[in-house]
Amino acid sequence: MNYFVTGATGFIGRFLVARLLKREDSRVFALVRPGSEYKLEALRRRLGVEEQRLVPITGDLTRKSLGLSKRDLDDLAGQIDHFFHLAAIYDLNADENTQRYTNIEGTRQTLKLAEQLQAGCFHHVSSVAAGGLYPGTFTEDMFEEASGLDNPYLLTKHESEALVRQESRIPWRIYRPSLVVGHSQTGEMDKIDGPYYFFKLIQKLKDYLPNWFPLVGVESGHFNIVPVDFVASALDHIAHLPEGNGQCFHLTAERSYNFSEVMDIIAGAAQAPRMPVRLDNRVFNAVPGFVKKGVNALTPKALINQLLESLDIPPTIVQFLAFPTQYDNQRARAALEGSGIEVPDLESYIQQLWDFWENHLDPERDQRKDELQPLPSLPDKVEDKVVLITGATSGIGKASALKLARAGATVLVVARTPEKLEETLHEIKQVGGIARAYRCDVSKMESVDDLVKEVLADYGRVDILVNNAGHSIRRSVVNSVYRFHDFERTMQLNYFGSLRLIMRLLPSMLEQGSGHVINISSIGVLTNAPRFSAYVASKAALDSFTRCAASELAHQGIRFTTINMPLVRTPMIAPTKLYNHVPTISPSQAADMICDAIVRQPKRIATSLGVLGQVMHFITPRATETIMNTGYKLFSDSAAAMGRRERTPKRISREQAAFSRLFKGIHW
């Protein structure tokens, strides 16, 4: 049996050709443009077939008789059993003239050639796009009912199909595949199209958010997705059935997915954040028109287009996110019955699609391979660096100073007590580190100014500043009504002291074109822990300043990292004897977080529970408030907070123990 195929080296074409050549005594004549014969030769080698079974026919889709030579026309006349027309532009970004010329005029010339060769049947591979933006279910018998054909791609697919229906003088069959993606077994794909446009967005979410981070999706549009191997197998099978001339077949999946479902399935393969919360698109219909206009006016189109471009998403695709059409495929299902050819669920092969895209189609794949190289070691990052740590004589600060000095940094330890400073210096020297002690009360602005002058005079710079010194107060708001100085003390040290250090060191960092500021914040800023209003407010103020400053100084080489520390067993929490019985991390573990910040320079380091707490406060504020209030009522203010002598409880209640383990690291 002889076949003529246009688009034989295209994505669907090469899989179809492979199936046609599996048939006994089959030969395929493939149209190739001058200079593109090598593509067919590559396909021939891939399939392992002889030259006489896969024959190149030189021509051009837009020329009369497709530009075939007289010899080829004479040799092929009356010899073609099936003529498959797959060549077309499948690109939403192509300009209208190019699409019209190729899709419409190309189909007209192809149809005339098939008639001239007296082909047994003309198989036109159209697309569900021929139905346009029909609002509802588009059946295989529908054509004139198509609507919303303003887009050139939709219009040219519709008009090229119209040519076959209205002008063909030989038997014809039309096939409308839906969104065609890669091979369900190998993931093979030749270009970024359809759902692939959103793979980069998913990848970015994976890079910047933990995979458990819940996202909110929108249940918008209908997306019918099929793998290329199904399309090729279905084409091959239906084309050889005795019945079917003059009919259209929808090569579509049984079900369509809305936009957030597609994104969620892709995210699952990428191990990126999922979309467990999905909003019905109709919710936005309730928004008043003047509000929508206001939002549109406040969102410059150029900014949106730039954002989409950075994610490799063509702006033209946005109009299809609310795609309104679903497809009935009863005729195609009946034709494929008993063949074993069916559409697999997207979930069953999405991993293959993602892996192939990440390894072969991602525009940044080479750069990302470089990024996947091992991170530099801590010694690599701190060698010949000057690191200043406040609160460096106990707890987190001391543990960090020892680790950094051991790694080769020059550590400047800052604290108030001379004896403790000398003790810390001695320990650092014992491990072979280099350090220098500076006495400073960070809560006093004049003391901070003197510290910076002395440090710059001694070393000329500070490469890494660790704002660790802090003061915490655990006391209910109702017990703080007459203790306004609690809020003043925490702000003075935790916010103004740290801020003063940053502002005084910033000019020298800007001058050298680099600098890294690490602020030790609290998990309480993310979870809004009860009883810590004074402490959390002071840390939140520093967080807010840091975000603003980071946005301004990113291009000048200044990096900021906020570490939202969970509960750490340090002298700072010692007055609250209750904490002797609840889960905490050690100062050494906290120091590891600081070392990680120095190596990776992330914007934020936080525990999973801390980030989840922040997300819950945003998504379900009332429910989260109830949980926090339960913890508040379950525990009580310490005796110290009430002005009495604190005693260590022999044990805590079963409920308190369970609650503290469930919310490990959160201050109560």
Side-chain angles (χ1 to χ4, degrees):
M1 192 167 288
N2 294 328
Y3 305 92
F4 193 103
V5 182
T6 70
T9 58
F11 184 51
I12 299 175
R14 61 178 181 263
F15 287 101
L16 174 63
V17 167
R19 281 157 178 75
L20 296 177
L21 289 173
K22 286 182 179 179
R23 293 181 174 272
E24 189 175 357
D25 298 327
S26 59
R27 282 198 305 170
V28 174
F29 298 91
L31 182 75
V32 293
R33 287 178 297 181
S36 296
E37 293 84 359
Y38 71 94
K39 293 183 179 180
L40 199 69
E41 177 60 31
L43 180 58
R44 186 186 296 116
R45 289 197 304 270
R46 172 177 173 173
L47 299 177
V49 297
E50 304 84 3
E51 186 174 356
Q52 61 268 25
R53 293 195 62 208
L54 182 53
V55 183
I57 301 296
T58 304
D60 189 317
L61 194 65
T62 59
R63 295 180 59 188
K64 183 179 180 181
S65 299
L66 301 192
L68 266 65
S69 67
K70 186 177 186 305
R71 178 179 177 178
D72 285 337
L73 289 172
D74 292 341
D75 289 346
L76 294 174
Q79 301 298 312
I80 303 302
D81 299 292
H82 296 277
F83 195 116
F84 287 91
H85 178 43
L86 290 89
I89 291 180
Y90 300 94
D91 189 350
L92 292 172
N93 292 320
D95 65 89
E96 183 173 355
N97 287 337
T98 301
Q99 291 192 64
R100 280 185 171 277
Y101 199 57
T102 302
N103 292 352
I104 299 175
E105 187 60 28
T107 298
R108 177 178 282 111
Q109 296 303 328
T110 302
L111 185 58
K112 289 181 177 180
L113 174 62
E115 294 170 349
Q116 189 175 352
L117 298 180
Q118 304 165 31
C121 185
F122 185 79
H123 301 277
H124 178 65
V125 181
S126 181
S127 165
V128 291
L133 301 177
Y134 181 82
T137 300
F138 204 75
T139 70
E140 291 158 306
D141 290 323
M142 295 171 70
F143 177 72
E144 298 293 344
E145 295 85 349
S147 59
L149 296 169
D150 297 333
N151 181 274
Y153 177 71
L154 303 181
L155 178 63
T156 56
K157 299 307 290 185
H158 182 83
E159 292 192 4
S160 60
E161 186 176 313
L163 286 173
V164 178
R165 291 173 175 273
Q166 297 166 8
E167 299 184 13
S168 179
R169 292 180 291 184
I170 59 175
W172 56 265
R173 299 183 188 186
I174 291 173
Y175 310 87
R176 295 177 185 155
S178 52
L179 287 172
V180 181
V181 295
H183 195 286
S184 65
Q185 299 299 317
T186 66
E188 181 182 347
M189 180 62 170
D190 65 344
K191 67 174 183 176
I192 294 174
D193 192 21
Y196 288 88
Y197 285 126
F198 298 97
F199 278 33
K200 177 58 68 176
L201 172 59
I202 295 292
Q203 189 186 65
K204 295 293 186 185
L205 292 173
K206 173 187 176 182
D207 288 344
Y208 295 115
L209 296 173
N211 61 1
W212 53 261
F213 193 96
L215 298 177
V216 179
V218 179
E219 293 183 341
S220 173
H222 301 287
F223 298 88
N224 196 287
I225 299 172
V226 291
V228 66
D229 45 314
F230 161 77
V231 175
S233 296
L235 277 169
D236 173 50
H237 180 80
I238 296 175
H240 292 89
L241 293 176
E243 304 289 334
N245 289 345
Q247 295 181 332
C248 175
F249 300 88
H250 278 170
L251 306 185
T252 58
E254 288 301 298
R255 61 161 294 194
S256 295
Y257 300 88
N258 61 52
F259 179 66
S260 63
E261 286 177 324
V262 173
M263 295 288 283
D264 192 60
I265 292 170
I266 299 170
Q271 297 183 8
R274 306 292 293 270
M275 295 184 178
V277 181
R278 299 170 189 169
L279 302 178
D280 192 317
N281 189 48
R282 290 173 294 184
V283 170
F284 299 100
N285 294 334
V287 178
F290 73 90
V291 175
K292 295 179 181 177
K293 290 181 180 178
V295 172
N296 289 336
L298 292 172
T299 311
K301 187 175 181 180
L303 182 62
I304 295 176
N305 289 345
Q306 184 177 0
L307 175 61
L308 293 174
E309 183 179 344
S310 69
L311 295 170
D312 298 325
I313 301 174
T316 53
I317 202 173
V318 175
Q319 64 180 303
F320 294 102
L321 297 186
F323 199 80
T325 315
Q326 299 197 69
Y327 304 97
D328 173 80
N329 61 1
Q330 292 186 43
R331 182 179 294 123
R333 280 208 320 273
L336 294 173
E337 187 174 358
S339 68
I341 301 171
E342 55 185 24
V343 184
D345 292 332
L346 179 60
E347 294 89 337
S348 70
Y349 63 93
I350 188 62
Q351 190 65 58
Q352 288 89 324
L353 303 187
W354 176 266
D355 291 344
F356 189 89
W357 173 83
E358 200 165 39
N359 292 319
H360 301 280
L361 296 177
D362 179 11
E364 299 176 347
R365 58 189 178 277
D366 293 332
Q367 175 185 337
R368 291 183 66 84
K369 285 178 182 177
D370 292 338
E371 292 175 356
L372 292 176
Q373 297 298 317
L375 288 169
S377 65
L378 183 62
D380 291 336
K381 292 293 290 187
V382 300
E383 185 180 5
D384 298 327
K385 299 292 185 183
V386 178
V387 183
L388 189 153
I389 306 175
T390 64
T393 57
S394 67
I396 299 171
K398 185 174 183 178
S400 300
L402 287 167
K403 286 179 182 287
L404 292 171
R406 191 179 291 114
T410 298
V411 181
L412 312 184
V413 292
V414 177
R416 293 180 298 173
T417 310
E419 295 78 14
K420 290 186 177 181
L421 282 169
E422 288 302 321
E423 180 183 317
T424 303
L425 279 183
H426 176 72
E427 291 186 42
I428 291 175
K429 289 178 181 178
Q430 290 294 104
V431 299
I434 301 173
R436 185 163 180 175
Y438 292 87
R439 185 182 179 187
C440 176
D441 183 347
V442 182
S443 67
K444 293 180 170 56
M445 303 299 101
E446 298 82 2
S447 183
V448 172
D449 293 346
D450 292 341
L451 168 67
V452 173
K453 288 178 183 177
E454 191 175 352
V455 166
L456 294 181
D458 292 340
Y459 292 94
R461 73 187 196 280
V462 169
D463 299 296
I464 302 169
L465 167 63
V466 181
N467 275 315
N468 170 66
H471 179 64
S472 175
I473 297 177
R474 181 182 183 269
R475 184 176 284 115
S476 301
V477 173
V478 294
N479 291 323
S480 303
V481 173
Y482 300 106
R483 297 182 59 90
F484 192 75
H485 59 279
D486 284 353
F487 297 88
E488 293 176 317
R489 284 193 299 161
T490 52
M491 287 296 289
Q492 189 66 22
L493 175 58
N494 299 346
Y495 178 52
F496 289 119
S498 297
L499 180 60
R500 188 76 162 203
L501 258 176
I502 295 171
M503 300 296 274
R504 288 292 182 263
L505 288 172
L506 190 57
S508 61
M509 289 183 173
L510 290 172
E511 184 177 349
Q512 69 189 33
S514 66
H516 188 190
V517 178
I518 300 173
N519 293 323
I520 307 304
S521 184
S522 167
I523 191 175
V525 175
L526 304 178
T527 60
N528 304 304
R531 290 193 175 85
F532 288 90
S533 56
Y535 177 62
V536 167
S538 64
K539 291 295 187 180
L542 186 60
D543 282 13
S544 296
F545 166 82
T546 300
R547 290 194 297 271
C548 295
S551 299
E552 295 180 20
L553 300 170
H555 69 291
Q556 299 194 58
I558 312 300
R559 299 290 177 259
F560 289 84
T561 298
T562 296
I563 302 180
N564 295 104
M565 283 287 180
L567 195 60
V568 184
R569 192 167 299 282
T570 66
M572 188 170 71
I573 71 168
T576 305
K577 304 304 181 183
L578 171 71
Y579 287 154
N580 292 346
H581 300 277
V582 300
T584 59
I585 68 171
S586 69
S588 180
Q589 289 173 306
D592 286 339
M593 297 172 74
I594 293 175
C595 293
D596 180 46
I598 291 173
V599 171
R600 294 192 299 113
Q601 295 188 336
K603 302 299 297 178
R604 183 181 300 278
I605 293 178
T607 63
S608 299
L609 184 60
V611 178
L612 179 60
Q614 185 179 45
V615 173
M616 289 181 64
H617 273 291
F618 178 76
I619 297 177
T620 57
R622 182 63 61 86
T624 307
E625 181 184 86
T626 300
I627 294 173
M628 303 305 286
N629 183 251
T630 300
Y632 173 75
K633 291 184 293 184
L634 190 60
F635 297 90
S636 61
D637 278 24
S638 65
M642 302 293 290
R644 300 193 300 268
R645 184 179 177 182
E646 184 76 5
R647 294 182 179 179
T648 303
K650 293 182 179 180
R651 62 174 182 266
I652 60 176
S653 70
R654 183 179 301 174
E655 292 80 8
Q656 288 174 323
F659 204 82
S660 62
R661 286 190 178 89
L662 181 62
F663 298 100
K664 182 179 179 180
I666 294 181
H667 305 59
W668 295 103

